[in-house]
Structures are given as C-alpha cells and as structure tokens.
Amino acid sequence: MPTSTDIFLPLSFNQVIELVNQLPRQQKKKLANLLLNSDEDTVVNTPEAQKKFVSSSIKKYKKNPALLIPEEKAWKMIEDND
C-alpha cells in the first residue's frame, strides 16, 4: 500500500488554489508560513512601481507617524476582509 509520500496527484495551479480555499483559516496561515519560510533560495521579483509605492509610503508615514496603525489592528482589518 502506498504511503502519502508515494502519491502523485497531477493538479493544475487553479485546482490547487481551489483546494487551498477550502482549508480553514488557521491551516491557510500555516501553509502560507510554510511556503514563505521555505529553505529553498527563491527569487522574488518586486516590480519597480511597488518599490516606489512602498518608498513613498514610508516617507509619508515618517513625516506623520500618527497615521500609522498598530500591527494587530492591521492584521485584523486584513482578516475581516477575507
């Protein structure tokens, strides 16, 4: 009898996304953490427009730190929009 390491399921990217969307929120977070913290050397290509946006946002908030919100509140806002 094959073990879980012997099973091969040919899935398309969209099928994987559909399966992940069915996971409970906590399992999605664990999966995201696993993928984002993998030991493999992955190359992340950040578009120039995004770099400029982040840079300008940092400058804006350094000038007016009162606009910043606590990290916990930011994550709650993100989770409430899911």
Side-chain angles (χ1 to χ4, degrees), residues 17-30:
I17 297 300
E18 287 177 27
L19 290 172
V20 170
N21 283 333
Q22 294 176 28
L23 293 172
R25 177 181 255 1
Q26 198 60 24
Q27 288 182 345
K28 287 179 187 177
K29 287 181 179 180
K30 286 181 182 179

Side-chain angles (χ1 to χ4, degrees), residues 50-63 67-68:
Q50 186 175 3
K51 291 177 186 178
K52 289 178 182 179
F53 174 78
V54 171
S55 180
S56 69
S57 296
I58 290 170
K59 289 176 186 175
K60 178 176 138 182
Y61 292 120
K62 282 185 176 180
K63 288 180 184 176
L67 295 174
L68 291 172

Side-chain angles (χ1 to χ4, degrees), residues 32-62:
N33 189 41
L34 174 75
L35 293 172
L36 293 172
N37 294 317
S38 69
D39 292 332
E40 296 177 19
D41 291 328
T42 56
V43 177
V44 177
N45 294 318
T46 306
E48 279 303 312
Q50 186 175 3
K51 291 177 186 178
K52 289 178 182 179
F53 174 78
V54 171
S55 180
S56 69
S57 296
I58 290 170
K59 289 176 186 175
K60 178 176 138 182
Y61 292 120
K62 282 185 176 180

